[in-house]
Amino acid sequence: MTQQVKHFIDGEFVTPTGDKLIPVTNPATQDVIAQVACATAGEMEQAIESAKAAFLTWKEVPVSERARLMMRFAHLLKEHQGEIADIICRELGKTVEDAKGDVWRGIEVVEQAANIPSLMMGETVENVARSIDTYSYIQPLGVCAGITPFNFPAMIPLWMFPMAIACGNTFILKPSEQDPMTVNKIAELFVQAGAPKGVLQVVHGAKEQVDAILHHPDIKAISFVGSVNVGQYIYKTGTDNLKRVQAFAGAKNHMVIMPDANKQQVVNALVGASVGAAGQRCMAISVAVFVGAAADWIPEVASAIGKVRPGVYTDPNAAYGPQISPQARARVLSLIEQGKKEGATCVLDGSDCKVEGYPNGNWVGPTVFSNVTTEMEIYKQEIFGPVLTTMQVGSLAEALKVVNDSPYGNGTSIFTASGAAARKYQHEVEVGQVGINIPIPVPLPFFSFTGWKGSFYGDQHAYGKQAVRFYTETKTITARWFDDDIPVSGPNMSINLR
């Protein structure tokens, strides 16, 4: 019997009542491993009402107790890391190592959430005027919500709800319908850690359920990670409904390679950063910009990438897994063909990739293009597959122009032995996250994930200090206490404190 994915509402896993079912398939075989029912309007309302009621008591829980909840939760996630990774492997197809990394990067955010007492400290100044003090408190918003993508089913939900809940909010999570089982396991562990009833809700579904979140008046803030079009829709719709929104959208991440870089380090970095996780990372390096004589390395890069191969997660030699769906695979293959038609040189073609014993898998082999220009669709679109496009320019200034002219600004990196070149690049590049001799510069969670331009819509970013600001409001108090011996003066008719 096919497993039925349950909602987590009001502290319990409940059997869905909706009749709109979405199959959850193993992307290596197309076997249906579960079915997820879209939450009904009634179930959505029940979840939101439960979160709203829980907020009234949760916001009063001492911040130290909220921190200890996150400590216990992080401990359980570590204990069950392998079990969670196995679920990811089955429903998303990631290799075991990649799936464990997915979980671990989420654990790091939970550990940061355990630092919430110091992160929520306000400010104070004594005697802003005579015998008058001003101080501020950081207070939660209320019911918050998160809408997460398929590609990191553990990490990205853990970017969101632990920080929001640690700040004193309650949370509605709508994970991707393509791999919903991972989040349910995480919710189960959150309950085991001692999370009170109603603090976290998990509802499954698609656009209709997203729209319910966007329009409901009791939801105060929304976090989203996903595609550009959906990110723009969520930001516009959410803010039109007077909600606070952070929407992380698409990317086209460039690596600039200077001629003085360490060639072997460049080759190794490009292999992992371009085709790792089947290219299904918003921080994947999909464009390599070779400066000057570094372009001579392109054949070696293609040769090294050609040595890796996709496979099922039970194969210890598989470098990465399948695309999430047949539709995703078809889109990647279409863009590869488009690149050939537009005149790019396909140095390595993975279009006809096959994995023995798994003829129905959503396989795309590693693919490399050279002689790519900024007018080509394979450059302009986020391919989200194991495809590396390469370009050649004459100088660092030209490379900077290429990167800065891109509408996206999620991540970038430069490989060089020159401190001057690295300093110029990090200072002038118009991208939010920069790596120097590091291909994928995703910051650890005591910093924030800071995409720019068309990669992010909003003001405050994910995790780190910015997440605390996103999930809270600041209340500023100005106070005077009168001593009996202070003479009473006449009315103050000005705005000045005195």
Side-chain angles (χ1 to χ4, degrees):
M1 183 177 177
T2 303
Q3 179 180 344
Q4 179 86 328
V5 179
K6 296 183 177 182
H7 305 302
F8 182 64
I9 298 174
D10 200 29
E12 297 181 352
F13 285 99
V14 297
T15 301
T17 59
D19 56 5
K20 184 178 179 182
L21 302 178
I22 301 172
V24 180
T25 59
N26 180 332
T29 63
Q30 309 311 317
D31 293 340
V32 176
I33 57 177
Q35 283 188 325
V36 58
C38 295
T40 64
E43 288 166 338
M44 293 295 298
E45 188 64 32
Q46 183 186 2
I48 295 168
E49 284 298 315
S50 172
K52 184 180 177 182
F55 174 67
L56 299 177
T57 53
W58 179 244
K59 69 176 182 177
E60 304 298 340
V61 170
V63 68
S64 55
E65 290 186 28
R66 302 202 300 262
R68 284 191 286 270
L69 169 63
M70 295 305 160
M71 292 177 192
R72 296 191 297 270
F73 184 38
H75 176 72
L76 285 171
L77 288 168
K78 291 170 187 175
E79 279 193 338
H80 294 268
Q81 182 185 10
E83 184 181 352
I84 300 169
D86 182 68
I87 298 171
I88 294 172
C89 291
R90 287 188 285 116
E91 62 180 353
L92 176 54
K94 284 191 178 188
T95 63
V96 173
E97 181 182 10
D98 194 23
K100 286 183 175 180
D102 184 339
V103 181
W104 185 256
R105 293 309 297 263
I107 290 171
E108 290 175 329
V109 180
V110 180
E111 290 176 333
Q112 176 68 359
N115 292 324
I116 199 63
S118 59
L119 293 172
M120 289 193 71
M121 285 182 178
E123 298 172 315
T124 223
V125 174
E126 187 180 40
N127 281 336
V128 296
R130 187 173 298 278
S131 299
I132 296 176
D133 307 322
T134 298
Y135 44 96
S136 64
Y137 294 140
I138 310 298
Q139 295 186 336
L141 299 175
V143 181
C144 301
I147 301 159
T148 59
F150 74 85
N151 58 328
F152 285 94
M155 181 186 76
I156 294 179
L158 291 171
W159 278 11
M160 297 180 184
F161 78 81
M163 291 299 296
I165 290 172
C167 287
N169 302 286
T170 54
F171 206 85
I172 311 288
L173 181 62
K174 205 299 285 181
S176 171
E177 65 276 17
Q178 294 179 287
D179 47 9
M181 296 187 294
T182 300
V183 159
N184 275 23
K185 180 62 184 178
I186 289 171
E188 178 187 316
L189 296 176
F190 196 50
V191 172
Q192 289 181 30
K197 175 181 174 180
V199 167
L200 174 67
Q201 321 277 334
V202 180
V203 291
H204 299 286
K207 184 178 184 298
E208 182 180 347
Q209 289 67 38
V210 169
D211 284 339
I213 289 170
L214 292 172
H215 290 278
H216 201 288
D218 289 331
I219 293 177
K220 306 301 182 184
I222 298 170
S223 302
F224 168 80
V225 178
S227 67
V228 174
N229 291 340
V230 179
Q232 291 175 345
Y233 171 78
I234 283 175
Y235 184 73
K236 290 175 181 177
T237 309
T239 53
D240 281 349
N241 283 283
L242 306 180
K243 301 183 189 306
R244 188 177 292 185
V245 181
Q246 55 175 202
F248 297 84
K252 198 71 179 179
N253 305 313
H254 301 72
M255 179 194 287
V256 173
I257 300 102
M258 300 298 291
D260 62 359
N262 181 303
K263 181 171 69 173
Q264 193 55 54
Q265 294 290 351
V266 167
V267 171
N268 291 343
L270 279 174
V271 172
S274 62
V275 303
Q280 297 176 131
R281 293 173 177 153
C282 65
M283 287 291 286
I285 293 295
S286 55
V287 185
V289 183
F290 290 85
V291 178
D296 296 339
W297 304 348
I298 293 175
E300 291 180 64
V301 170
S303 176
I305 291 176
K307 292 176 183 176
V308 304
R309 62 177 182 81
V312 293
Y313 73 95
T314 53
D315 178 358
N317 296 315
Y320 62 87
Q323 304 303 119
I324 182 64
S325 68
Q327 295 78 14
R329 175 179 180 270
R331 180 180 177 276
V332 174
L333 295 181
S334 174
L335 283 166
I336 292 173
E337 289 306 306
Q338 181 74 7
K340 296 173 186 175
K341 291 175 183 177
E342 290 178 325
T345 304
C346 191
V347 181
L348 178 68
D349 189 352
S351 299
D352 195 30
C353 177
K354 293 179 174 58
V355 173
E356 185 177 354
Y358 295 88
N360 298 320
N362 306 319
W363 310 112
V364 178
T367 301
V368 178
F369 281 96
S370 64
N371 300 314
V372 174
T373 68
T374 56
E375 294 78 26
M376 295 177 180
E377 288 301 310
I378 56 169
Y379 175 79
K380 292 190 289 186
Q381 292 198 41
E382 183 177 26
I383 300 174
F384 227 58
V387 181
L388 176 67
T389 60
T390 68
M391 309 172 69
Q392 301 167 236
V393 297
S395 66
L396 177 58
E398 290 180 58
L400 272 164
K401 186 177 188 314
V402 169
V403 180
N404 287 345
D405 284 349
S406 170
Y408 303 110
N410 218 23
T412 188
S413 64
I414 183 171
F415 272 63
T416 181
S418 167
R423 173 65 174 75
K424 177 180 177 66
Y425 191 77
Q426 74 177 35
H427 180 66
E428 296 184 14
V429 75
E430 296 169 6
V431 175
Q433 297 167 115
V434 182
I436 298 173
N437 298 318
I438 291 174
I440 300 180
V442 176
L444 290 171
F446 28 88
F447 290 90
S448 296
F449 187 97
T450 53
W452 282 14
K453 298 192 289 189
S455 295
F456 176 73
Y457 302 96
D459 299 306
Q460 302 290 349
H461 293 84
Y463 58 76
K465 293 179 181 178
Q466 291 195 34
V468 174
R469 290 196 287 269
F470 179 75
Y471 290 122
T472 60
E473 289 278 23
T474 301
K475 179 181 288 182
T476 306
I477 300 100
T478 301
R480 166 187 278 166
W481 296 99
F482 296 104
D483 290 331
D484 291 340
D485 58 353
I486 295 178
V488 178
S489 59
N492 178 7
M493 305 303 292
S494 77
I495 197 171
N496 294 327
L497 289 173
R498 62 173 187 256

